[in-house]
């Protein structure tokens, strides 16, 4: 497994982050945080999809106070996203936030940063310094002419220094831009320059499709280098999609401690005589959020007898399509013929049996 073992390990609620701990996947609610019911409901959906850490926007004291009510209804590590006003950060820490995302540079006077650092230290709450290419300081923009990777790293390390001066070291850094190449370079520079755990991702990446591709390239390249301790796939889409994508990236790299279900299926092909695209999509949807408890389960959903039996025998189980029907395989053996409309239920029943769950 690829991990960057040398990062400082911190704790976010009950989760270890950095120092060789499994890479965690996070997303951000798009509800109004003061709407506790809506926020808790969305957190439930995120958890079901495999979210490890949830961030919530905390733009005012009303939202900070709602953290306590949300805290009572979920055990997920909660990150309060705060800008500008140190009093909101203090209120969120008091209300039970597990981590605070701030930019010390926009909190203002040094004494305000110190108050936040002291409160976070006393509460055992880490701080993420979230540097973003879109909100780089005017001084750094002028110095570098653009939000370059070097500018992002200088900003992050400069802000970390503000906290270090307060003897605060439970710091997570993120250095995001909407450019894949700049993001990769910024994180590589940061990884070489410090041992703080890194929250990785490509930000403002665009709609679901391009956001997914940008992040898969950026996050994938970094993780393959052993860089990254927690990740967010930023997409202009339902946050649940961000979690699915994040888990899939980890799974593809063999880094998901929950491992999961790997689906092997055919590309479009004129030979198939079942609705292969629809079947594979519905099966994938049905598998979303199933915790395989560390097991890697490979399922083949194949269109015909050309490559179908070979792939299905190589998988834990699978099907090879026929004419409105399929042959079902398990552990390399042909088991039986099934009708097309039985494929998904059969495969799901096999997944559940493989992880020791009883069929519903
Ligand atoms: Fe086409 Fe059959 Fe190969 Fe699938 S297994 S890609 S349906 S030839």
């Amino acid at each position: 497994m690829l991990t960057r073992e040398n990062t400082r390990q911190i704790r976010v609620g009950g989760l270890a982050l950095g120092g060789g701990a499994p890479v965690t996947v996070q997303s951000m609610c798009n509800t109004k945080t003061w709407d506790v019911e809506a926020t808790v409901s969305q957190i439930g959906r995120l958890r079901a999809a495999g979210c490890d850490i949830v961030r919530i926007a905390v733009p005012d004291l009303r939202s900070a106070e709602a953290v306590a009510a949300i805290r009572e209804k979920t055990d997920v590590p909660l990150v309060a996203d705060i800008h500008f006003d140190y009093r909101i950060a203090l209120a969120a820490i008091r209300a039970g936030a597990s981590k605070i995302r701030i930019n010390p540079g926009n909190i203002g006077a040094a004494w305000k940063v110190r108050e936040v650092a002291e409160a976070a230290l006393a509460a055992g709450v880490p701080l993420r310094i979230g540097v973003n290419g879109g909100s780089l300081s005017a001084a750094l923009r002028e110095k570098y002419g653009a939000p370059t990777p070097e500018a992002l790293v200088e900003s992050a390390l400069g802000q970390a220094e503000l906290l270090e001066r307060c003897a605060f070291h439970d710091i997570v850094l993120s250095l995001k831009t909407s450019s894949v190449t700049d993001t990769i370079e910024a994180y590589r520079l940061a990884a070489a320059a410090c041992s703080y755990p890194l929250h990785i991702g490509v930000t403002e990446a665009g709609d679901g499709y391009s956001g997914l591709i940008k992040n898969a390239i950026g996050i994938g390249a970094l993780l393959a280098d052993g860089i990254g301790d927690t990740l967010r796939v930023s997409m202009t889409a339902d946050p649940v999609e961000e979690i699915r994508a994040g888990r899939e990236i980890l799974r593809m790299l063999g880094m998901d401690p929950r491992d999961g279900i790997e689906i092997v299926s055919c590309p479009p092909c004129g030979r198939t005589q079942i609705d292969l695209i629809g079947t594979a999509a519905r099966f994938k949807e049905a598998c979303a959020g199933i915790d395989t408890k560390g097991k890697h389960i490979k399922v083949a959903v194949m269109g015909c007898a050309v490559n179908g039996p070979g792939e299905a025998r190589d998988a834990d189980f699978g099907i090879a399509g026929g004419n409105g029907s399929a042959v079902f395989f398990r552990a390399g053996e042909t088991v039986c013929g099934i009708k097309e409309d039985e494929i998904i239920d059969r495969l799901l029943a096999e997944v559940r049996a493989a992880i020791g769950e009883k069929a519903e």
Side-chain angles (χ1 to χ4, degrees), residues 4 19 31-32 42 49 82 91 108 112 125 127 192 195 200 214 292 309 314 323 327-328 330 332 335 357:
R4 187 167 156 246
T31 52
K32 299 296 177 205
Q42 189 168 60
I82 289 156
K112 294 178 182 173
V125 170
L127 300 174
S195 61
I200 61 172
K214 274 187 165 184
T292 61
D314 263 0
N323 185 1
V327 179
F328 174 68
R330 186 195 299 121
V335 177
E357 279 183 11

Coordinates of all heavy atoms in Angstrom, one line a residue, residues 4 19 31-32 42 49 82 91 108 112 125 127 192 195 200 214 292 309 314 323 327-328 330 332 335 357:
R4 N 2.3 7.9 2.9 CA 3.4 8.8 3.2 C 3.6 8.6 4.7 O 3.0 9.3 5.5 CB 3.1 10.2 2.8 CG 4.2 11.2 3.0 CD 3.8 12.5 2.2 NE 4.5 13.6 2.7 CZ 3.9 14.6 3.4 NH1 2.6 14.6 3.5 NH2 4.6 15.6 3.8
G19 N 0.6 10.1 9.2 CA 1.5 9.1 9.9 C 1.3 7.7 9.5 O 1.4 6.8 10.3
T31 N -25.8 22.1 2.6 CA -27.0 22.6 3.4 C -26.6 23.8 4.2 O -25.4 24.1 4.3 CB -27.5 21.5 4.4 OG1 -26.3 21.2 5.2 CG2 -28.0 20.3 3.7
K32 N -27.6 24.6 4.6 CA -27.4 25.6 5.6 C -27.1 24.9 6.9 O -28.0 24.2 7.4 CB -28.6 26.6 5.7 CG -29.0 27.3 4.4 CD -27.8 28.2 4.0 CE -28.2 28.8 2.6 NZ -27.0 29.2 1.9
Q42 N -28.2 15.1 5.3 CA -27.2 14.9 4.3 C -26.0 14.2 4.8 O -25.4 13.4 4.1 CB -26.8 16.3 3.7 CG -25.9 16.2 2.5 CD -25.7 17.5 1.8 OE1 -25.2 18.5 2.4 NE2 -26.1 17.6 0.5
A49 N -22.5 6.5 1.9 CA -21.7 6.4 0.7 C -20.2 6.1 1.0 O -19.4 5.9 0.1 CB -21.8 7.6 -0.2
I82 N -14.3 27.9 8.5 CA -14.5 29.3 9.0 C -13.5 30.3 8.3 O -12.3 29.9 8.1 CB -14.2 29.2 10.5 CG1 -15.4 28.5 11.2 CG2 -14.1 30.6 11.1 CD1 -15.1 27.9 12.5
A91 N -16.4 29.6 18.9 CA -17.8 29.0 19.1 C -17.9 27.6 18.6 O -18.5 26.7 19.2 CB -18.8 30.0 18.5
G108 N -7.0 37.8 11.0 CA -6.6 39.1 11.5 C -5.5 39.2 12.4 O -4.5 38.4 12.2
K112 N -5.7 37.3 17.8 CA -6.9 36.5 17.5 C -6.5 35.1 17.0 O -7.2 34.1 17.4 CB -7.7 37.2 16.3 CG -8.3 38.5 16.7 CD -9.0 39.2 15.5 CE -9.5 40.5 15.9 NZ -10.1 41.2 14.7
V125 N -8.3 19.9 19.2 CA -8.9 20.1 17.9 C -7.8 20.5 16.9 O -7.2 21.6 17.1 CB -10.1 21.1 17.9 CG1 -10.5 21.5 16.5 CG2 -11.2 20.5 18.7
L127 N -6.3 22.0 13.3 CA -6.6 23.1 12.4 C -6.1 22.8 11.0 O -5.0 22.4 10.8 CB -6.0 24.4 12.8 CG -6.4 24.9 14.2 CD1 -5.6 26.2 14.6 CD2 -7.9 25.2 14.3
A192 N 7.7 17.9 0.3 CA 9.2 17.9 0.5 C 9.6 18.9 1.6 O 10.7 18.8 2.2 CB 9.9 18.3 -0.9
S195 N 6.3 18.2 7.2 CA 5.8 16.8 7.6 C 4.3 16.9 8.0 O 3.8 16.0 8.6 CB 6.6 16.2 8.6 OG 6.6 16.9 9.8
I200 N -5.6 16.6 0.2 CA -5.4 16.8 -1.3 C -6.7 16.8 -2.1 O -7.7 16.3 -1.7 CB -4.4 15.7 -1.9 CG1 -5.0 14.3 -1.7 CG2 -3.1 15.8 -1.2 CD1 -4.2 13.2 -2.5
K214 N -10.5 15.5 -13.6 CA -9.4 16.3 -13.0 C -8.9 15.8 -11.7 O -7.7 15.7 -11.4 CB -9.9 17.8 -12.8 CG -9.8 18.7 -13.9 CD -10.2 20.1 -13.5 CE -9.8 21.1 -14.5 NZ -10.1 22.5 -14.0
T292 N -17.6 -3.8 2.6 CA -17.1 -5.2 2.4 C -16.2 -5.6 3.6 O -15.6 -6.7 3.5 CB -16.4 -5.4 1.1 OG1 -15.3 -4.5 1.0 CG2 -17.3 -5.0 -0.1
P309 N -16.8 -15.7 -20.1 CA -16.5 -16.8 -19.1 C -15.1 -16.6 -18.5 O -14.9 -16.9 -17.3 CB -16.6 -18.0 -20.1 CG -17.5 -17.6 -21.1 CD -17.2 -16.2 -21.4
D314 N -12.3 -15.6 -13.6 CA -11.2 -14.9 -12.8 C -11.7 -14.1 -11.7 O -10.9 -13.7 -10.8 CB -10.5 -13.9 -13.8 CG -9.3 -14.5 -14.4 OD1 -9.0 -15.6 -14.1 OD2 -8.6 -13.8 -15.2
N323 N -28.5 -14.7 -24.7 CA -29.6 -14.1 -25.3 C -30.8 -13.9 -24.3 O -31.5 -14.8 -24.0 CB -30.1 -15.0 -26.5 CG -31.2 -14.3 -27.3 OD1 -31.6 -13.1 -27.0 ND2 -31.8 -15.0 -28.3
V327 N -24.9 -16.8 -18.0 CA -24.4 -17.9 -17.2 C -23.7 -17.3 -16.0 O -22.9 -16.3 -16.1 CB -23.3 -18.7 -18.0 CG1 -22.7 -19.8 -17.2 CG2 -24.0 -19.2 -19.3
F328 N -24.0 -17.9 -14.8 CA -23.5 -17.4 -13.6 C -22.3 -18.2 -13.1 O -22.3 -19.5 -13.2 CB -24.6 -17.4 -12.5 CG -24.0 -17.1 -11.1 CD1 -23.6 -15.8 -10.8 CD2 -23.9 -18.0 -10.1 CE1 -23.1 -15.4 -9.6 CE2 -23.4 -17.7 -8.9 CZ -23.0 -16.4 -8.6
R330 N -19.1 -18.8 -10.1 CA -18.6 -18.5 -8.8 C -17.2 -19.2 -8.6 O -17.1 -20.4 -8.9 CB -19.6 -18.9 -7.7 CG -19.1 -18.5 -6.3 CD -19.9 -19.2 -5.2 NE -21.3 -18.9 -5.2 CZ -22.2 -19.9 -5.3 NH1 -21.8 -21.2 -5.5 NH2 -23.5 -19.6 -5.3
G332 N -14.5 -19.4 -10.1 CA -13.9 -20.0 -11.3 C -14.7 -21.2 -11.9 O -14.3 -21.8 -12.8
V335 N -21.8 -22.1 -12.5 CA -22.8 -22.5 -11.5 C -24.1 -22.9 -12.2 O -24.7 -24.0 -12.0 CB -23.0 -21.5 -10.4 CG1 -24.1 -21.9 -9.4 CG2 -21.7 -21.2 -9.7
E357 N -23.2 -11.2 5.3 CA -24.5 -10.6 5.6 C -25.6 -11.5 5.1 O -25.5 -12.1 4.1 CB -24.7 -9.2 4.8 CG -24.0 -8.1 5.5 CD -24.3 -6.8 4.8 OE1 -25.1 -6.7 3.9 OE2 -23.6 -5.8 5.2

